[in-house]
Amino acid sequence: MSQPNSNSFPTKATLLLVSTLTVMAGATIAPSLPAMQEHFKEVPNAALWVRLVLTLPALFIVFGSLIAGVVVDRFGRKPLLLAAVALYGLAGASGYVLNSLFHILIGRAFLGFAVAGIMVTATTLIADYYTGATRAAFLGLQAAFMGLGGVVFLSLGGFLADQNWRSPFLIYLFAWVLLPLIIWAISEPHRMTPSTQGNTPGSGSGFPVKLLAFLYGVALLTQIIFYLIPVQLPFYLKELANANASQSGLAIALATLFSAMSSFFYGKVKQHFGFFSVLVLAFGLMGAGYSIIGLVNNYALVLVGLAIAGSGLGLLMPNLNLWIASEVSDAARGRALGGSTMFFFLGQFLSPLVSQPVSQAVGLGTTYALAGGLMLVCGLALMALQRPICRLISTKAA
């Protein structure tokens, strides 16, 4: 196939709209969790199972990302993207009609497979289509649209959840609107095969295992921390300020709004700072934000903490993706970005499993404060150990 016109508006718009379906896919129904828990209160361990309705997609994104990374490198980008978007709408909306918590969880598992295909394919296409500063700017724009999608979907989900806890599941049908756009605007890019790859200038240096292990670890930790917001915040705000579903949805959406704003300016930030410096800044902002959330005692001040934490997250995601895309060869890019997606969502899945015992032992406020303190300590450690870490992972990111 011919090389797509990556600078055309339809292609750019389609990639950005598809990207809105990804990061906050599970969190779309977060405002429904308290009412869902009440509805299924007769189910043993309902509190944990209902939280897993939110995060179970992340576990299957983990499995799906491994498969998606291989598929996009071996068989191409567009077929997987079409299949994943079609499945997204079907599996996501299934919770509107299913009456069993077990069946809802199955639907959420298939949603996870769909998100894996979408996220790996969309990010890989961006890395295929663009290079240099243009790639950095567009990856930032992609993360911004992910955040904006979260703002819209979470806000709408909060209002719909006030009417009926099932209604937010219908939001997932938006994916089907994008299918004609994908067919029309996305073409399979020319890619170098493993046999012709070599060490092409500007295409990365193969598969840098030490660097990827470091970045995957960062993705895992930060998502365990980040997902305290959609998983626990509705319960924390209800306890703190008797907040309803709409207020919880708007609060979570605020964090994603500031994440989007921060991502939008990532390209400009990257022009002045290296990958490692941006990483330290992201840790610092997230640490400060979570500390505020855990230490204040009213709804308005929690919003301040959410804005700061969201700003840190907005820098983190495009920074990791660009770092990987810059260091990995064309032929291995899908697998490397698939690994990033895998650890990203593994952190989201593990978040309630880690935070629920802690919050039951010390309370939600203290849990947020501890998470903030951990991020600040990690940020300071990264800053102090920047040179030895960079030598270990063999990168010039410093």
Side-chain angles (χ1 to χ4, degrees), residues 63-73 80 116-118 120-121 334-335 338:
F63 300 137
S65 297
L66 294 174
I67 300 170
V70 173
V71 170
V72 296
D73 281 339
L80 177 60
I118 294 170
V120 171
T121 306
R335 280 168 286 162

Side-chain angles (χ1 to χ4, degrees), residues 34-371:
M36 189 187 303
Q37 182 174 317
E38 177 64 22
H39 181 83
F40 290 109
K41 62 184 178 182
E42 301 302 324
V43 176
N45 299 315
L48 178 60
W49 289 118
V50 166
R51 284 167 172 80
L52 286 177
V53 169
L54 184 71
T55 59
L56 188 66
L59 177 63
F60 284 84
I61 292 169
V62 171
F63 300 137
S65 297
L66 294 174
I67 300 170
V70 173
V71 170
V72 296
D73 281 339
R74 291 189 179 180
F75 303 106
R77 302 1 181 175
K78 187 173 179 178
L80 177 60
L81 184 59
L82 283 168
V85 170
L87 178 61
Y88 183 101
L90 178 64
S94 65
Y96 183 77
V97 297
L98 296 174
N99 294 315
S100 162
L101 185 56
F102 176 71
H103 291 156
I104 290 174
L105 286 168
I106 293 176
R108 302 294 284 176
F110 280 102
L111 176 67
F113 282 123
V115 172
I118 294 170
M119 188 163 184
V120 171
T121 306
T123 304
T124 305
L125 280 169
I126 292 170
D128 288 337
Y129 289 172
Y130 309 105
T131 59
T134 304
R135 179 189 284 172
F138 204 90
L139 284 171
L141 195 59
Q142 180 201 30
F145 267 73
M146 290 176 179
L148 289 173
V151 172
V152 174
F153 297 151
L154 283 165
S155 300
L156 182 58
F159 288 117
L160 291 175
D162 276 337
Q163 312 305 315
N164 187 304
W165 66 265
R166 291 184 181 273
S167 298
F169 285 96
L170 294 176
I171 295 172
Y172 295 102
L173 292 175
F174 171 69
W176 287 354
V177 177
L178 302 181
L179 287 171
L181 288 175
I182 297 170
I183 294 172
W184 172 50
I186 300 296
S187 298
E188 193 69 26
H190 289 305
R191 293 177 294 114
M192 302 187 76
T193 62
S195 61
T196 62
Q197 173 61 42
N199 289 321
T200 305
S203 65
S205 55
F207 204 82
V209 176
K210 291 180 181 179
L211 172 63
L212 291 176
F214 172 71
L215 296 181
Y216 292 168
V218 169
L220 179 68
L221 172 63
T222 54
Q223 285 307 296
I224 289 175
I225 300 297
F226 167 68
Y227 235 60
L228 284 171
I229 292 177
V231 171
Q232 302 290 5
L233 194 69
F235 300 94
Y236 182 50
L237 290 178
K238 190 173 184 64
E239 171 189 304
L240 189 69
N242 197 29
N244 58 28
S246 295
Q247 290 173 313
S248 295
L250 289 172
I252 300 170
L254 180 71
T256 60
L257 174 62
F258 274 81
S259 174
M261 293 170 59
S262 179
S263 296
F264 183 79
F265 291 104
Y266 170 75
K268 295 186 179 298
V269 172
K270 185 61 184 66
Q271 290 176 5
H272 301 286
F273 299 98
F275 290 120
F276 206 99
S277 297
V278 176
L279 182 62
V280 171
L281 176 60
F283 268 73
L285 288 170
M286 289 183 68
Y290 278 86
S291 297
I292 291 171
I293 294 169
L295 296 175
V296 300
N297 58 6
N298 66 70
Y299 182 83
L301 291 177
V302 168
L303 296 182
V304 174
L306 289 168
I308 296 172
S311 298
L313 182 74
L315 293 175
L316 183 74
M317 188 172 175
N319 197 56
L320 293 181
N321 283 337
L322 180 61
W323 202 340
I324 292 170
S326 300
E327 295 291 335
V328 176
S329 65
D330 292 344
R333 185 173 291 141
R335 280 168 286 162
L337 290 170
S340 175
T341 301
M342 179 186 76
F343 281 94
F344 193 84
F345 285 97
L346 178 60
Q348 292 188 6
F349 173 76
L350 292 176
S351 184
L353 301 180
V354 173
S355 66
Q356 192 65 14
V358 176
S359 65
Q360 289 178 341
V362 301
L364 285 171
T366 303
T367 300
Y368 278 109
L370 290 172

